[in-house]
Amino acid sequence: MEKHELAIGALKMDCRVISYPKAVAGLQSTMDRALAGPFSERLARAVEPVLDGHDGVIRIRTISLDLAHTGPWNESVLAELLAARFAHALRQALESRSPDLRAWPNHVAYMASYIDMRLGFAYEPDWAFPDFEALRLLLPLQAAIEIVKARPAALAALARNGRRSGNPLRFVERLDAAATEHLVLHFLERAPLSAMQSGPPASSPLLEIFLEALGKTSLTNIDRAVLVLLCEADQSFASDDMSLAILTAADVVGLAVIAAEFERRNARALTFADLSTATGLIRQVLPPHLATVTLQMAEQAFARPMVERILGSLAKHAPQTAGGGSRERHSVSPGEGRALHLSSPLGGLALLLPDVVRLSLHRHLGTNGLRRALLSIPDADLRLRAEKDALIDFLFPEIHDADDPTFPPVPDIALARLAPESRGLINGVEGAVGWGDLLVASFSSRLPGLRASSRAYLQRQFFLVSGRAEITDAAVVVTLDGPPLAIILKMAGLSGDQMPVPHLNDRLLILHIGSGR
């Protein structure tokens, strides 16, 4: 017999008794004992055969029943009668398919239906989702992200729903770059690498599904490409299988990006043997969370058949990578084999670059929008100096003859990731200033003990610090001349190798911090 779970949200009873007062004096307490005691057991036994054959999640708004009884008035008899009458009413409700009944094939489909309702993709009655009452106060997209974080398989169900209306990626397209990165990072943090110890076989259906999807997927946004592949994963995966799907999608996307960049640099195709010596390239080209997975794969001999299968597929498909011809490039270049040296009294503004990357500001704002946001940070006098500073021109370039940048609202998820003490730096202003506030608050959130600092204090201690940069085709090395609170920067991780910077042609950012005090 199938196992079922039945929950009654509220039970309302209206009792009418035709008798002498003395005869019904104890009826209320008898009913209370019946409902608190034998009713649950009798109800479970009565509805079991009714629910057999009905899989998934079923929500019924109301069930009404009438019970006429002439006695005896004891709790055992009342519990049995109520359970039998409830089971009969439940059978009628299931057979009626009225507007007061909604059904889904499984819990993942139920979650996807709630997300579609909250995001306005489909109409569903609000009463059908009591399970998500705790999410009611969240904004629709925030609620959706929380559910997908808990059940990544919901991505496939959302894609399946979207496909019926002509757009399987409608949920993924609602996510900005910060939310996309947040989801992928969350998935990978909770997908044990042990799930890849045996790896999917080179001929597994999962791998074939991902490779087919890869041929139609742009890799311009690497994290988004991972989500697009996961939209193709079967929603019935168990948790262990879903971990394997997440890691496999990350491997496929990471390897595709690495293969394209390797071929661009070396004029030959990437092989499995090349992976063991391509650690630097992997760290330069991929975001840190995806680089970790790709490096893990490169160390495993068992992964060779899978890698070779992916590389073979890449020979047939040419997805657009982040290193493609559409990338914006700055006009200042050191030239092949040479280094460009620039210095500036405002070198400390380079400390904002890790947060520029972390917040995906270049993707949100474009090259000119990013520069406008950066120039909104210093006070008026420093802004005039920054506008004419050669190092700032390189780190935050401007494309001339381009359309004026547009500034979308700052994403709620970006604000939610700030340290509470740093949110006072957000002034609620829109446009370039609002994004500049976000950048400063994100930087402040990194600083132990200084998260409540004012913008003026941060400018004096960190931004108004001289420095120099050595720029090559592969890296930007910024050396700051001993900011007063250098130890804070080192504690915040703002020293040494950082990450590739997309708007600087993925050059690796390296920060060298003086001793300070």
Side-chain angles (χ1 to χ4, degrees):
M1 186 173 289
E2 302 173 50
K3 182 178 180 181
H4 305 286
E5 180 179 333
L6 176 69
I8 300 175
L11 184 63
K12 181 180 179 181
M13 299 187 67
D14 184 8
C15 297
R16 296 185 180 183
V17 181
I18 303 175
S19 183
Y20 296 105
K22 290 183 179 180
V24 296
L27 180 59
Q28 180 65 56
S29 60
T30 302
M31 291 293 295
D32 290 343
R33 289 195 302 271
L35 294 173
F39 177 67
S40 296
E41 180 185 347
R42 307 291 171 83
L43 179 63
R45 192 164 58 238
V47 302
E48 194 75 31
V50 176
L51 293 175
D52 281 347
H54 294 277
D55 298 324
V57 178
I58 300 171
R59 293 288 178 264
I60 302 173
R61 189 175 191 179
T62 58
I63 287 181
S64 298
L65 55 92
D66 292 321
L67 174 62
H69 182 54
T70 59
W73 299 100
N74 65 68
E75 55 261 34
S76 179
V77 172
L78 288 174
E80 190 73 38
L81 288 172
L82 285 171
R85 191 56 58 90
F86 186 95
H88 177 73
L90 177 61
R91 185 185 300 277
Q92 288 183 320
L94 291 174
E95 292 173 352
S96 70
R97 296 292 175 182
S98 74
D100 281 347
L101 182 143
R102 293 289 293 120
W104 296 268
N106 51 55
H107 279 86
V108 174
Y110 177 57
M111 293 176 177
S113 184
Y114 173 76
I115 291 173
D116 283 343
M117 183 269 290
R118 288 292 307 270
L119 295 179
F121 292 144
Y123 169 77
E124 291 287 354
D126 187 61
W127 57 260
F129 301 100
D131 307 55
F132 306 110
E133 183 66 28
L135 301 179
R136 183 181 295 274
L137 296 180
L138 294 181
L139 293 173
L141 191 57
Q142 287 179 316
I145 289 171
E146 290 303 313
I147 293 173
V148 174
K149 283 166 62 177
R151 290 294 294 272
L155 281 171
L158 287 165
R160 201 167 282 117
N161 292 349
R163 193 172 287 112
R164 288 195 286 267
S165 64
N167 183 9
L169 298 180
R170 63 188 184 184
F171 170 72
V172 174
E173 290 171 355
R174 279 287 186 95
L175 303 174
D176 60 28
T180 301
E181 178 188 357
H182 176 68
L183 268 180
V184 173
L185 181 59
H186 178 86
F187 292 164
L188 292 176
E189 285 177 344
R190 285 153 181 79
L193 289 175
S194 59
M196 285 294 291
Q197 288 306 306
S198 58
S203 59
S204 75
L206 177 65
L207 185 57
E208 292 302 318
I209 289 171
F210 284 169
L211 289 175
E212 181 180 355
L214 182 69
K216 301 175 286 185
T217 302
S218 169
L219 300 183
T220 304
N221 183 325
I222 299 174
D223 288 312
R224 183 177 183 273
V226 175
L227 295 186
V228 170
L229 264 59
L230 287 175
C231 284
E232 301 295 327
D234 187 271
Q235 64 169 312
S236 63
F237 276 165
S239 58
D240 290 345
D241 293 326
M242 200 63 220
S243 293
L244 178 60
I246 290 166
L247 293 169
T248 302
D251 281 345
V252 169
V253 171
L255 191 58
V257 174
I258 293 299
E261 184 64 14
F262 182 91
E263 186 169 356
R264 186 185 73 81
R265 296 186 183 189
N266 298 279
R268 66 176 180 85
L270 178 71
T271 67
F272 181 80
D274 294 320
L275 285 177
S276 62
T277 58
T279 301
L281 175 63
I282 292 171
R283 293 193 183 280
Q284 286 181 28
V285 175
L286 294 179
H289 50 285
L290 289 177
T292 299
V293 176
T294 304
L295 289 170
Q296 173 78 8
M297 180 177 64
E299 296 172 355
Q300 305 298 331
F302 67 73
R304 182 165 188 161
M306 182 181 71
V307 171
E308 292 179 342
R309 173 70 186 92
I310 296 172
L311 294 177
S313 176
L314 292 175
K316 300 178 183 179
H317 305 289
Q320 181 184 354
T321 70
S326 63
R327 180 187 297 162
E328 298 165 336
R329 293 184 179 271
H330 190 264
S331 59
V332 178
S333 177
E336 189 69 31
R338 299 169 55 194
L340 177 69
H341 296 272
L342 298 173
S343 59
S344 168
L346 301 174
L349 289 172
L351 293 169
L352 295 172
L353 284 171
D355 289 280
V356 167
V357 176
R358 191 163 66 99
L359 295 168
S360 302
L361 293 195
H362 181 249
R363 295 174 185 172
H364 284 294
L365 308 179
T367 299
N368 287 3
L370 172 58
R371 180 178 173 87
R372 289 266 194 95
L374 181 281
L375 291 177
S376 74
I377 294 172
D379 59 31
D381 291 338
L382 288 181
R383 188 175 305 134
L384 292 175
R385 294 163 59 185
E387 288 174 346
K388 301 175 182 179
D389 189 283
L391 177 56
I392 302 304
D393 281 345
F394 179 84
L395 298 179
F396 301 92
E398 180 178 14
I399 297 177
H400 297 286
D401 301 323
D403 293 337
D404 287 339
T406 58
F407 296 93
V410 173
D412 291 329
I413 193 169
L415 297 174
R417 294 167 70 177
L418 299 174
E421 308 95 309
S422 300
R423 292 174 188 169
L425 293 165
I426 303 295
N427 297 310
V429 181
E430 297 183 351
V433 175
W435 286 91
D437 288 346
L438 174 66
L439 184 54
V440 175
S442 182
F443 170 76
S444 169
S445 295
R446 290 173 171 263
L447 307 178
L450 297 179
R451 295 186 179 98
S453 301
S454 67
R455 181 191 297 260
Y457 181 83
L458 295 174
Q459 177 174 284
R460 291 195 308 271
Q461 296 294 332
F462 300 110
F463 305 152
L464 188 55
V465 172
S466 61
R468 54 197 179 278
E470 179 180 302
I471 303 160
T472 67
D473 287 336
V476 178
V477 182
V478 178
T479 302
L480 299 182
D481 298 328
L485 296 175
I487 186 62
I488 298 295
L489 296 176
K490 293 176 180 179
M491 292 170 63
L494 292 170
S495 179
D497 291 6
Q498 298 298 304
M499 71 285 287
V501 181
H503 74 273
L504 298 181
N505 296 333
D506 284 330
R507 289 178 172 92
L508 177 66
L509 174 65
I510 303 172
L511 296 175
H512 290 165
I513 309 298
S515 58
R517 67 169 183 262

